[in-house]
Amino acid sequence: MSEEEGQKPARVVVADDQTVVREGIVMLLGLLPGIEVVGSAGDGDEAVRLVAELAPDVVLMDLRMPRCGGVEATRRIRAGHPGTQVVVLTTFDDDESLFPALEAGARGYLTKDAGGDEIVRAVRNVMSGQAGLAPGIQRRLLERLTGAEPCPVPAARTPDGLTTRECEVLALIAEGLSNQEIARRLHISAATVKTHINNLFAKAGVKDRAQAVRYAYATGVARPPAR
């Protein structure tokens, strides 16, 4: 709902250590209806200070920042300023950093390539008490809470330092899915899939998908089809 329709604009603080990214997000938010940027921070400590000073409705919080990262800043904000909601802002969905942020009190999640409509929706959702999470994130959170494993290999025993998400992508490669199909299955972008594939190829020491499939079978990340 827009400001013109009678709803007060959401007062937002943006926290990101990369100046160009931070300024770009602030500029984008300035063009969106119902959003008022009241401050921006270059690290978690500054974000906490601005929240104490400005009492914003929402902080868009980058996770990976120097000194005080997004998870710790989220924990401090939610403990000291419960009236301010936190929406995670990150390059791609990485369970190893996303879930600690949710556990620290973040209620929403956005990738940095999110469109204006997605940002407004996430901000309004968390302000109204709803979770601003994509369906794929909700599914994986439910799996985590119920103990369901999205990957045949438990996270504590993933091979060669692969993350749980990289194992999940590897298992889908072994199923024969293309990057676009993996993206649709996991509710992430094709660019994010490519990033995960590059990372897991480097960690596993494989050069192509055929080698990756053999590696997946050998390590138990995927099971060979029954003959």
Side-chain angles (χ1 to χ4, degrees), residues 36-51:
E36 177 189 357
V37 179
V38 296
S40 64
D43 60 49
D45 284 331
E46 188 177 5
V48 174
R49 180 182 63 77
L50 285 177
V51 168

Side-chain angles (χ1 to χ4, degrees), residues 15-17 41-45 47 61-70 73:
D16 195 299
D17 65 313
D43 60 49
D45 284 331
M61 181 77 74
D62 184 30
L63 291 180
R64 297 171 183 173
M65 295 184 289
R67 293 180 293 278
C68 175

Side-chain angles (χ1 to χ4, degrees), residues 59-211:
V59 177
L60 297 184
M61 181 77 74
D62 184 30
L63 291 180
R64 297 171 183 173
M65 295 184 289
R67 293 180 293 278
C68 175
V71 173
E72 177 59 24
T74 296
R75 185 175 294 110
R76 289 164 57 186
I77 288 169
R78 294 298 297 147
H81 310 279
T84 297
Q85 301 295 338
V86 177
V87 174
V88 168
L89 191 65
T90 189
T91 304
F92 57 88
D93 57 340
D94 176 0
D95 291 355
E96 279 60 40
S97 53
L98 172 60
F99 286 129
L102 294 175
E103 290 165 354
R107 291 191 55 84
Y109 163 84
L110 288 169
T111 56
K112 292 182 182 179
D113 61 356
D117 289 344
E118 292 177 87
I119 295 173
V120 172
R121 183 165 56 250
V123 167
R124 287 300 177 192
N125 281 347
V126 299
M127 286 179 62
S128 65
Q130 303 176 54
L133 300 173
I137 302 298
Q138 293 185 25
R139 174 179 57 80
R140 300 210 310 277
L141 180 60
L142 180 61
E143 288 170 346
R144 185 181 179 99
L145 292 173
T146 59
E149 286 290 344
C151 169
V153 180
R157 293 189 281 109
T158 54
D160 296 313
L162 267 64
T163 66
T164 302
R165 181 51 125 186
E166 288 163 359
C167 279
E168 193 172 12
V169 171
L170 179 58
L172 295 175
I173 290 174
E175 285 186 27
L177 273 63
S178 67
N179 286 12
Q180 290 289 347
E181 290 169 332
I182 294 172
R184 286 194 293 271
R185 177 78 66 88
L186 300 180
H187 304 283
I188 58 179
S189 70
T192 297
V193 172
K194 186 175 180 180
T195 298
H196 286 311
I197 290 174
N198 288 341
N199 289 341
L200 73 87
F201 274 29
K203 292 177 182 179
V206 301
K207 297 180 179 178
D208 55 37
R209 290 175 102 89
Q211 290 184 3

